[in-house]
Amino acid sequence: MTAASAPGKVILFGEHAVVSGFPALGGAIDLRARAKVLDCPGKLLIETEGLFVSGFSLDLLSGQVLCRQASHAARYVSAVLREFDASDLSIRIESSIPPASGLGSSAAITVACLAAVSRHLGHDLPAKEVAALSHRIEKTVQNGLGSPMDTALATFGGYLRVCRQVEPLALPPLQMVVGDTGKPHDTRQQVAGVQALKERYPDLVNPIFQAIGAISSRAAGLIEEQNLSELGALMNANHGLLEALGVGSRELSELVYAARNSGALGAKITGAGGGGCMIALPGPGNGKALIAAMRQARGRAFPAVAGCEGVRMEADT
Ligand code: MEV
């Protein structure tokens, strides 16, 4: 038996601007995907179990899929298995990361699976290779889409500054609250919409990207100093700029204002927008109040710590 786990992520600052080469800042969060590999002669089984993926079982040899939702996870796992030309294995995936909500669920599943399968087959891949290979696999499954941020955060953990290159930053952990609208979002569509706006109005959109990039650059220093009130102010500014780019939605705004009105130091969309998730920075001792207010605003809300550990091998449990 070989097992590995990898974290999900939030984009703290810089989404969309990063697509045009401006800096973004992301952090690994303490929700994880786990992959467990066992020898299974004559079969190639993928099984999932977890809070957000209803249990299912798939035999890749017979092609039997028992649950449609979970086949999403299976696409990444089977791409990893193909990469290693694997057979005679059973892979069990568990994840506490909500899928398709911009929290890096597919990257975490890919990285955990790749780490567990490669180790089980006797390969000792350095982290850099795990990140590069996982990024290539994720991109292939997503038809060419996918920034290196998600797979790099799932591999290395901590925080990353992304600006053409990916650079790790040594910063302290940050307590946040994540709000999930439950509304599906389409990253490709949101990115295309923003890029089309930039084509039409480069004189308007380029300065917005520049302002978002400046916010991302300042944020790392504020996390380092634990200057949370200024960090919150920059989250609010970044949210306003994302609204200006047209990626807001009623559901996201309701969660952002529910958080702010109950004492959050700042709140913003995280990821592509349109639906998916937002993040809020709680003030001293008011995390529970934020969660209650965001749930009242019909969101799924949960605490998350940014800056957590990357991929790691796990003992059998
Ligand atoms: C999506 O999670 C983040 C975007 O900036 C797209 C990307 O960086 O690939 C919107």
Side-chain angles (χ1 to χ4, degrees), residues 9 11 14-19 102 145-147 150 185 187 191 270-273:
K9 68 100 195 12
I11 296 183
E15 42 280 270
H16 287 289
V18 70
V19 175
L145 187 79
S147 78
D150 291 16
H185 76 306
T187 300
V191 169
T270 184

Side-chain angles (χ1 to χ4, degrees), residues 169-252:
L169 297 176
L171 298 171
L174 192 63
Q175 184 72 56
M176 345 218 31
V177 173
V178 176
D180 185 353
T181 60
K183 184 181 169 192
H185 76 306
D186 182 337
T187 300
R188 186 186 290 271
Q189 192 188 335
Q190 298 299 325
V191 169
V194 171
Q195 292 295 317
L197 193 69
K198 178 171 167 259
E199 289 290 306
R200 292 204 302 286
Y201 303 110
D203 53 329
L204 299 181
V205 173
N206 279 323
I208 294 175
F209 281 177
Q210 215 154 16
I212 291 176
I215 289 173
S216 303
S217 296
R218 278 170 197 236
L222 296 174
I223 297 174
E224 172 128 56
E225 295 161 13
Q226 293 287 287
N227 187 343
L228 300 186
S229 59
E230 281 309 306
L231 192 69
L234 292 192
M235 285 172 77
N236 291 342
N238 195 160
H239 180 78
L241 294 166
L242 287 167
E243 286 276 8
L245 294 175
V247 300
S249 71
R250 180 179 57 77
E251 292 84 353
L252 284 164

